[in-house]
Amino acid sequence: MASEGDNSMFDGNSANKLMDLYSRQIGAYGLETMKRLAALRVLVVGLRGVGVETAKNLVLAGPAAVGLFDPEPAVVADQGCNFYLNADSVGKPRDQVCQPQLEVLNPNVVVSVVPESVAGSNSLSTEQLSQWGAVIVTVDRPLAELRSWNDFCHANGVTFILALTNGVTGSFFSDFGPEHRVTDANGEPLKNVALALIEVDQVQEGSGESARTVPRLLFEVAKEAHGFDEGQLVKFEDVDGMVELNEVQGTIERVYSSYTTEDGKPGQRLIPNRFHLKLVEEHADLDVTKFSPYTRGGYVTEVKPTRVMTFRPLTESLVNPVQEGEFAVKHPHGMKFIMNAAGNQLHFARLALWEFQAKHSALPELHNKAHADECVVLAKGLLAEHRAQQEKGGAALVVDELCEKTVRNMALYARAELCGMCAFLGGVAAQEVVKKFGKYTPTHQWFHVDYFELLGDDVPADAAPIGSRYDHQISVLGAAFQEKLGKQVWFMVGCGALGCEYLKGFALMGVGANGGAIHVTDMDRIEVSNLNRQFLFRKENVGQQKSVCAANAARIMNPEMNIQCHEKLVGPDSENHFDDAFWNSLDGVCNALDNVTARRYVDSRCVFYQKPLLESGTLGTKANSEIIVPHKTQCYRDNPDTEDKDSIPMCTLRNFPNIIEHCIEWARAQFTENFEDPPSDALLLLTDPARLFKQVENESNIGTRLQRLRPVVALLRNAVGADFGTCIRLAFAEFNQQYRNRIKDLQHQFPADATKKDKDTGVVSPFWSGAKRFPRAAEFNLDDELNFQYVYCAANLFAFVFGLDPVRDHAAFRAEFAKAGCSVPDWQPKKVSMYDEEEEESKEEDDEVALEKKEYEELISFLKNFDHSSIKPIQPHDFEKDDDTNFHIDFTTACSNMRAWNYQIKTATRHRTKMIAGKIIPAIATTTAMVTGLIELEMLKIVHGCDVSVLLGGNVNLGLGTFELFEPLPPIKAKKDYDVINMCDVEPVPAGWTCWDQVVVDAGDLTIEEFLAELPKAWHGVTCDMLTPHSSTDVGTPLYCAWSATPTLKALMAKNKTRKLREVYHELYGEEKENKRKYLLLGGGFETADGEPCKIPLPVKFVWGHEDSSPPAAAAQ
């Protein structure tokens, strides 16, 4: 069983099970917050849907302890929102049933049932509350009790959170005490940028007679944009020359250049890599004109100011929930919030429910109109009380007119809950706890949300509970809806963190559980680091297939689920598996992916097959959701590409790093150049030499061929008779080459006092200036921990390549090193190249070319005559960031930190190196659960047939407590644009077509000539002057071309014109997807009826036959 409070294993330089388990979460929270979270005790009151979601997310996050309090007996309908309850749980206390299942989620967390203060009281004492650092209430407790609990928590430093759902509404409240200090408002990594230039500039302050010119420091950074906001607080460090600036703080003033528009009006453009600095008051007396001249180096780093937030206790905030500076209670739907002040209306409905509960000791009964009318009366009475208090000068929430419909809708379904709303609130509530320690901004204090769009004007006629696990859903949407939902067929792509949450939600909802199906695919296998977020997996599942394990877990939650598992990557190569019959069988698709390329491919399939797509993604505490509906909304590809394109120049990586990220990327490349590529080529030589030689011949020039072959030959020569001493000598030689010889070469070619001359102005300036940092060379010392770690890791990596056992014990390794006979060779200066490989292709001296050609021939000869039997099989490494025993991250850390030592850059911890080198995206369970809840609510709308106008996408940042729900945008309409081939503007035909429109020619197995005649009939009179396959790959001979350039091609076109189009296609480009399809996808050039170039929706679908009806393809498990 777990014990509380041991944080010693949270060490950024340590490889241990906790750092591995929580690696993605630490990437979001940071180590200090993680340590404090691991010492926190959290109490969850109520284990219906919101409670179990909150508890699950908390246990995964890893506090010291999670207490559960809900002695109420489970009922049948609880199975629709609590995934740990089943038929055998009915009649048993919810907390007793859930505790053992929550406990196995994370063995590092103590999960316990908290007893009643007095047996049978269903209550807790303040003494019990004092044992916890945070209390989260997730069920409708009596308001008097909640006030009492909150008063105690508010006064005693216990974070208090309310997260309640009633039907299609949700309410949230947080109280962090009288004063709460926020030290990191957004939780984002500090912005840190290398400086390239500092000058004293003169700027104008004020205007008119008060205008004056004042000196300001002008900065230029060593990248395209500094990324700081206007007024952002920053500080400086490691500046050479202008040392007075180090540790000085100021605020950013963006810099603009002036220009004149074509019509003579003045304008300004932002200069993104420059800024002025306005000194803070503490440093305002500094005279920047007297600062020493800047020479080089330095960093500008964001400073996050501390903010003190005040929180009202529950009793006060019930009457006065609107925060200072706001005009209404928060509601995530922008239009509802602004136009209708929906949060205010929901707040009165929430208060009315508590009043009803206090009067009748229960919430309003389901669908009881009399109870709903009584709630309206209570709400009106509360509004009158608030008005009276306001008239007396008190602070109280009022509305011009109470929305009775809002109150009735909340009351009619007050006892129901939807699993999507539970997942949303459970994610929000669990994340709020983490904010206790000053990182992130708490939700301040109330927000309400509603999904009234799911409701009709009246309660559905078939909404009475029937004793089913789906009763909550039925009570809101009706039995006919539940029947329809059970017959749905959906495809979920991906089964990681998002996928686990979706499968859980689908099981609770009963999607595909009555004649339908859920298809799931994921090729990945479960890793230890997955267990922190992907809650359907357990330690014993590590190494198993994700889709299969997740499906098995979901079937336990709901045995009625029909889940079909596919262990295939969704992409062009699997289109014979996920074929037309499969896609046509679907009602919709839900993406649970983590990369843009896969998302774009699935989106293209949904557009082609006209299927709705539910899209979501997370990044730390941030998440987005997007609802895509054929012909009604934009598709995913209509969104701008958000992938990071901020690449690092090669010369910077090779010779002039200035930040640790440069060193880490360089180290990752070193891993590939030493342990992946050469061993892979060596292995290919042993298994398929002809393929290797062909690949080498296809290299662009002899220089790149030599760069590929030299390390392969060196590796094979060392492999003959290799022992661990060989590995040590190779590691030692690499150390000296990278950290001594290369640096000495650079120092020799560009000494510390080297200068450079501007080719345009002739101005001479120091070479080592701006972001260029003059390096220092290393002399190997086995007693230096960083030197030792590099050789230790590199030698063990070479040992794997040669099929040798590792030497993990440090003392044993030192003994092996002593026997290896390593000696430092004399240094001979070599010229350092300042350019990329692509710029080195041209060689002017014939003798140098001849020498390279001779060397190339010798290397090829060596490889062709190499005796394979003289060595053990070569084993290439495959970089794996999550295996702490394989030396991959340890080598990368040592390699990058040695590089940082060379250039006097701050080193990085092992954990940070792992995140950057492994391209790990920070991820947490709370965000994932929250956003999947939003998507599940939208799925209900789609299946229910709601109009697109009520569908909602979302942008949420749990770190900032910001929630934005918005209607999806309509499809982008095609517009006239310039065509570089036709060299003219090209009109869309018809005007305004969208990605959802399709050109289909379905008139039989046509000849090319017949196809050309049918196309105008199928699509607005458009003709075709060139016909090609619709493919992203290069197209060779066209299927048809009206303006053939050569007599041969002209004759071929004439001959083909009377042949079957599909026969010509297959002859030129092969069978289309093994001939399973009865259509071809075509592109080409098109003209209007007037002979003008035009653009039409592509691909053109030419149907030459029809499939026999057949069931959808699926691989049942």
Side-chain angles (χ1 to χ4, degrees), residues 5-6 127 160 223 375 380 701 765 877 979 1019 1043:
D6 181 12
E127 182 180 354
F160 183 86
K223 57 188 299 186
C375 285
K380 289 180 177 179
N701 58 60
S765 60
H877 285 271
D979 186 280
W1019 197 257
W1043 32 268

Side-chain angles (χ1 to χ4, degrees), residues 490 589 591 599 603 606-607 611-615 625-639 935 942 948 951 968-969 995-996:
W490 281 71
V589 179
N591 266 350
R599 287 186 171 112
D603 174 70
C606 289
V607 170
K611 301 297 179 183
L613 172 63
L614 304 178
E615 176 61 68
S625 61
E626 185 177 0
I627 315 303
I628 297 168
V629 179
H631 300 283
K632 302 293 186 180
T633 72
Q634 290 185 1
C635 64
Y636 183 80
R637 75 175 184 226
D638 284 341
N639 295 321
I935 287 289
I942 289 174
V948 68
L951 300 181
L969 295 173
C995 64
W996 297 104

Side-chain angles (χ1 to χ4, degrees), residues 61 85 105 209 240 246 265 281 287 342 344 348 416 483 593 738 758 776 789 828 852 973 986-987 1037:
L85 300 179
L105 277 180
E209 295 182 359
D240 288 344
N246 288 322
K265 295 180 180 179
E281 186 175 348
D287 185 352
N344 293 357
F348 278 105
E483 180 82 8
L593 294 162
Q738 299 301 338
D758 189 286
R776 54 183 175 173
Q789 279 295 324
Q828 297 294 327
E852 287 190 341
K973 295 182 178 181
V986 176
E987 296 276 0
T1037 303

Side-chain angles (χ1 to χ4, degrees), residues 348-634:
F348 278 105
R350 171 75 262 169
L351 296 179
L353 286 188
W354 270 320
E355 286 289 308
F356 186 98
Q357 186 181 25
K359 184 177 179 181
H360 299 282
S361 299
L363 290 173
E365 294 175 359
L366 269 176
H367 311 151
N368 190 313
K369 294 184 178 181
H371 286 182
D373 289 341
E374 184 177 347
C375 285
V376 171
V377 173
L378 292 171
K380 289 180 177 179
L382 289 164
L383 176 57
E385 292 176 11
H386 284 210
R387 282 185 175 141
Q389 183 166 329
Q390 192 180 70
E391 288 169 359
K392 294 177 182 178
L397 177 71
V398 297
V399 293
D400 293 337
E401 184 178 355
L402 186 74
C403 179
E404 296 184 12
K405 186 175 182 180
T406 295
V407 180
R408 284 195 176 89
N409 279 339
M410 200 169 188
L412 287 170
Y413 303 95
R415 297 191 183 188
E417 55 183 3
L418 297 177
C419 68
M421 184 66 78
C422 296
F424 170 73
L425 290 172
V428 175
Q431 183 60 34
E432 205 72 7
V433 167
V434 180
K435 302 176 184 179
K436 183 179 178 69
F437 312 113
K439 187 160 190 172
Y440 304 117
T441 303
T443 302
H444 197 206
Q445 291 185 265
W446 284 96
F447 80 78
H448 299 285
V449 60
D450 72 82
Y451 277 76
F452 288 145
E453 298 82 8
L454 284 167
L455 304 179
D457 293 333
D458 297 304
V459 174
D462 57 351
I466 57 175
S468 161
R469 64 179 298 132
Y470 308 119
D471 270 357
H472 283 301
Q473 209 158 255
I474 289 172
S475 68
V476 175
L477 297 163
F481 170 85
Q482 190 61 45
E483 180 82 8
K484 181 179 180 182
L485 189 64
K487 297 189 184 307
Q488 292 281 299
V489 179
W490 281 71
F491 184 24
M492 189 180 80
V493 187
C495 203
L498 287 167
C500 284
E501 291 290 337
Y502 280 131
L503 265 190
K504 171 260 295 177
F506 296 159
L508 296 175
M509 294 159 67
V511 181
N514 183 20
I518 296 289
H519 293 272
V520 182
T521 190
D522 195 313
M523 286 187 65
D524 287 349
R525 295 185 177 273
I526 299 162
E527 300 172 351
V528 171
S529 61
N530 299 149
L531 305 181
N532 170 240
R533 307 172 317 287
Q534 302 172 20
F535 88 107
L536 297 184
F537 307 142
R538 303 291 178 267
K539 187 175 181 179
E540 59 269 21
N541 298 135
V542 171
Q544 298 175 8
Q545 199 73 32
K546 282 187 175 181
S547 59
V548 174
C549 288
N552 289 337
R555 291 189 193 102
I556 292 173
M557 294 176 180
N558 185 350
E560 298 172 359
M561 291 298 291
N562 177 18
I563 304 175
Q564 305 292 325
C565 295
H566 306 257
E567 298 176 26
K568 287 188 175 292
L569 185 70
V570 179
D573 292 339
S574 61
E575 288 182 6
N576 280 327
H577 181 81
F578 301 113
D579 57 12
D580 290 344
F582 174 82
W583 284 97
N584 289 328
S585 73
L586 302 176
D587 291 297
V589 179
C590 180
N591 266 350
L593 294 162
D594 61 0
N595 69 88
V596 171
T597 301
R599 287 186 171 112
R600 287 184 177 277
Y601 175 79
V602 175
D603 174 70
S604 71
R605 297 293 85 196
C606 289
V607 170
F608 184 77
Y609 292 102
Q610 308 278 287
K611 301 297 179 183
L613 172 63
L614 304 178
E615 176 61 68
S616 60
T618 70
L619 177 62
T621 60
K622 294 174 285 190
N624 73 286
S625 61
E626 185 177 0
I627 315 303
I628 297 168
V629 179
H631 300 283
K632 302 293 186 180
T633 72
Q634 290 185 1

Side-chain angles (χ1 to χ4, degrees), residues 285-321:
D285 294 336
L286 294 176
D287 185 352
V288 298
T289 63
K290 295 181 180 179
F291 280 11
S292 305
Y294 171 72
T295 55
R296 62 173 174 255
Y299 301 94
V300 54
T301 305
E302 173 187 9
V303 176
K304 295 191 177 183
T306 297
R307 173 190 175 191
V308 177
M309 299 179 67
T310 59
F311 288 79
R312 302 167 187 155
L314 180 61
T315 297
E316 181 182 345
S317 68
L318 289 169
V319 179
N320 182 25

Side-chain angles (χ1 to χ4, degrees), residues 189-194 223 299-301 644 646-649 652-654 656-670 773 892-893 895-897 899-900 903 905-909 912-919:
L190 290 173
K191 296 175 184 174
N192 178 265
V193 186
K223 57 188 299 186
Y299 301 94
V300 54
T301 305
D644 184 17
D646 190 15
S647 60
I648 304 170
T652 300
L653 283 181
R654 285 179 173 177
F656 308 119
N658 53 62
I659 55 176
I660 192 62
E661 286 82 358
H662 295 164
C663 301
I664 294 171
E665 186 158 338
W666 178 85
R668 178 64 184 86
Q670 287 291 301
R773 307 173 71 85
T892 308
T893 303
C895 185
S896 64
N897 283 341
R899 180 78 161 172
Y903 287 88
I905 297 168
K906 286 184 179 180
T907 58
T909 63
R912 187 180 179 196
T913 303
K914 174 178 177 176
M915 296 295 291
I916 296 172
K919 301 186 185 301

